[in-house]
Amino acid sequence: MLQDEAVHSADAPSPDETSDLLSAPDPSSMRKHYRAEGLVESELAAGPYEQFARWFKDAAAAGLHEPNAMIVSTADAAGRPSSRTVLLKAFDARGFVFFTNYTSRKGRELAENPYVSLLFPWHSLARQVIVTGTAERIGRDETAAYFRTRPHGSQLGAWASDQSSTVGSRAELERAYEELAARYPEGEQVPVPPHWGGYRVTAESAEFWQGRENRLHDRLRYVRAGRNGGTGGPLWRVERLAP
């Protein structure tokens, strides 16, 4: 049976929509005076992953809500961008790892265009970390090892949701979940969905942004500059950017 679809006109707004727009706060009057402490080149770690570890530790110690939340931005083959908030689940000297449905919008876009940007918005610390690089799928063993650590309900959710596709109703989504819950009750192993797994983002650049007074923020960016002939690891140069 066909269901009625909600249609919203992009033309003249209704009286209710006009009221909502007029009653919204004015963003032009919202401003924050940032702290004076800054970031200098001599205090940076040798590479961006080590520097990220320092700042991530600070963010966690400060009690930020989900300090591992990051905005992942991708683009399709035509360059049309999209962004969403995703949770970082691992990082080391190889890169930053997150998990998702490979058939989701971001998964499809990464298949067409592996270039990606990660943004960690640690507002209460007046800090941001902006990573640009390329994403590639991690191995299935690594995906399976992480999948086993997820709560049972989250494992079922990875099967129940055809992420980014349209769904007829909330009831339809919950019905799919309930069917899976009956098939895989609590305590029974849930198989890893073949369409679900991790990506590792290898940094080409990583900017560390520290808010400063008078909008004269500190912006220090690591840029990949080849490889170390001895260790084979990446070499980095540091640039200071105008705020």
Side-chain angles (χ1 to χ4, degrees), residues 88-169:
L88 174 73
K89 286 302 177 180
F91 70 92
D92 55 24
R94 296 174 296 166
F96 302 88
V97 176
F98 66 91
F99 294 84
T100 190
N101 186 314
Y102 287 142
T103 65
S104 65
R105 179 174 180 177
K106 58 184 166 301
R108 295 194 304 271
E109 291 181 350
L110 288 172
E112 297 177 354
N113 177 1
Y115 292 98
V116 63
S117 174
L118 312 177
L119 167 62
F120 295 85
W122 295 328
H123 301 299
S124 63
L125 297 179
R127 286 178 173 177
Q128 301 180 75
V129 180
I130 306 164
V131 177
T132 61
T134 54
E136 64 177 352
R137 295 186 184 187
I138 65 174
R140 295 306 293 172
D141 288 347
E142 190 174 353
T143 285
Y146 169 70
F147 189 79
R148 299 287 172 240
T149 70
R150 303 186 90 204
H152 180 73
S154 297
Q155 293 179 358
L156 296 178
W159 280 100
S161 174
D162 185 12
Q163 193 177 89
S164 299
S165 65
T166 57
V167 60
S169 66

Side-chain angles (χ1 to χ4, degrees), residues 48-49 52 70-73 95-96 115-120 128-134 201-208 222 236:
Y49 301 118
F52 179 85
M70 58 183 181
I71 299 167
V72 176
S73 297
F96 302 88
Y115 292 98
V116 63
S117 174
L118 312 177
L119 167 62
F120 295 85
Q128 301 180 75
V129 180
I130 306 164
V131 177
T132 61
T134 54
V201 176
T202 302
E204 294 183 353
S205 71
E207 177 185 336
F208 292 81
Y222 292 86
W236 302 93

